[in-house]
Amino acid sequence: MDQLNRLMPDELVSVREVFNLDSDLKVAAFREADEHVPEVDPAYRFNHDVTLAILAAFTRNRRMLLQGLHGTGKSTHIEQVAARLNWPCVRVNLDGHISRLDLVGRDTVVLKDGKQVTEFQEGIVPWAIQRPVALILDEYDAGRPDVMFVIQRLLERDGKLTLLDQNRVLDVHPGFRLFATANTVGLGNLNGMYHGVQRLNHAQIDRWNIVAALNHPPAEDEIGIVLARVPELDDAAGRKLVASMVAVAKLTRDGFRVGDLSTLMSPRTVITWAENIGIFGDPGKAFQLSFVNKCDEAEQPLIAEFFQRCFDRELEAPRTSGYLPADLPPTRAFAAAAAS
């Protein structure tokens, strides 16, 4: 067992100073970071209420489920809190290929002293619960039923984990923390956006001590987030441009809410759009490649109307004559076509 399993938070830090939030709270943290602590993103902007909920989960050892639409930065939010607390953090994506054996462990054949022997290879869950580690279960509502029942045991008050293959019961380290992120709150794929998510056992949902929601930020906050990610736009013209981009995103979300669109722009998509403007030089072209081409063809005229309303210019129709850029000189275009 490494030295990490003997560590506990050894200092208190000010929420006001570390997270720039209007709060007098002081929370537990580690003085030194180890290899499992995420890197600090100095440009990250924290949601006030969600950050306080995450800090409560860290400080009071509460199991926390963070729900919200895609691209809102749920896992990143937890990671950035952990980074500033120097709290070791591990993420596991519960896609359909993750099984109970992947989480708990399995017997494997290893070579010792020139002989093949069978040894139990510990999974990520036994490893994490014996250490002061924040375990984040991404895509929690997409997990398989056998995986869900492993997690349900961790949600109990004593939280011990039984390894049946080893006839062992593992005690949970007092510094272990459990988080999960989900696009839904266990109700299944109600709007058709998240194929593969499951309806979750209500008894399990009831075991999460804190359930918080992180959705789209206010326009001013979202503008600040985009400018922090794409600082080259942080001037008067760039701020005006980003404000128009965020306005388009809001219209897509409103359209989705009333059923006019089957998809919407997440803050992550707006950041991608801003980054692509730096590549292609034109907001319209970058918009086509970042979002419009992902949408149903029947909905694209409405999306083009949103763009026209916010930018006061028409969105050019995409070129359909092939993959070659139209501004290539004829000789280069011919050579590229011949080479393909």
Side-chain angles (χ1 to χ4, degrees), residues 231-248:
E232 56 267 31
L233 293 178
D234 197 3
D235 55 28
R239 285 190 289 274
K240 182 178 179 181
L241 171 65
V242 173
S244 297
M245 296 164 63
V246 170
V248 173

Side-chain angles (χ1 to χ4, degrees), residues 49-239:
D49 293 342
V50 171
T51 302
L52 291 180
I54 295 172
L55 288 171
F58 271 109
T59 303
R60 301 288 184 174
N61 193 13
R62 303 279 86 188
R63 307 302 196 230
M64 179 176 175
L65 173 63
L66 184 55
Q67 178 267 336
L69 296 173
H70 61 283
T72 51
K74 299 179 291 297
S75 301
T76 304
H77 208 304
I78 300 170
E79 281 188 323
Q80 285 304 306
V81 171
R84 285 158 175 79
L85 299 178
N86 283 332
W87 209 297
C89 185
V90 176
R91 286 173 62 173
V92 176
N93 194 312
L94 298 186
D95 59 49
H97 298 289
I98 294 292
S99 69
R100 175 185 177 277
L101 293 179
D102 294 319
L103 292 185
V104 175
R106 66 183 76 205
D107 287 330
T108 58
V109 177
V110 297
L111 195 63
K112 277 193 173 182
D113 300 326
K115 297 181 179 180
Q116 289 186 343
V117 297
T118 301
E119 280 191 355
F120 181 76
Q121 185 67 41
E122 195 173 69
I124 187 63
V125 169
W127 179 89
I129 68 171
Q130 298 175 84
R131 293 165 174 82
V133 167
L135 178 61
I136 304 175
L137 304 173
D138 279 337
E139 312 299 340
Y140 173 68
D141 47 0
R144 292 164 37 166
D146 58 332
V147 169
M148 291 293 103
F149 284 110
V150 172
I151 298 167
Q152 183 163 323
R153 189 68 188 93
L154 297 179
L155 295 172
E156 300 290 348
R157 183 171 295 275
D158 59 10
K160 294 183 179 181
L161 180 67
T162 302
L163 298 179
L164 296 177
D165 297 338
Q166 297 292 297
N167 293 322
R168 284 197 297 154
V169 178
L170 301 181
D171 291 321
V172 176
H173 190 285
F176 172 71
R177 301 293 183 265
L178 183 62
F179 296 88
T181 67
N183 295 129
T184 72
V185 72
L187 301 178
N189 187 30
L190 297 178
N191 53 26
M193 288 184 67
Y194 303 115
H195 296 291
V197 300
Q198 316 290 337
R199 287 186 64 89
L200 298 181
N201 186 329
H202 184 72
Q204 182 170 144
I205 293 294
D206 194 49
R207 285 173 165 81
W208 290 96
N209 306 126
I210 298 174
V211 178
L214 180 65
N215 286 312
H216 304 120
E220 285 301 317
D221 290 349
E222 189 165 0
I223 292 170
I225 291 169
V226 176
L227 292 175
R229 296 294 186 192
V230 192
E232 56 267 31
L233 293 178
D234 197 3
D235 55 28
R239 285 190 289 274

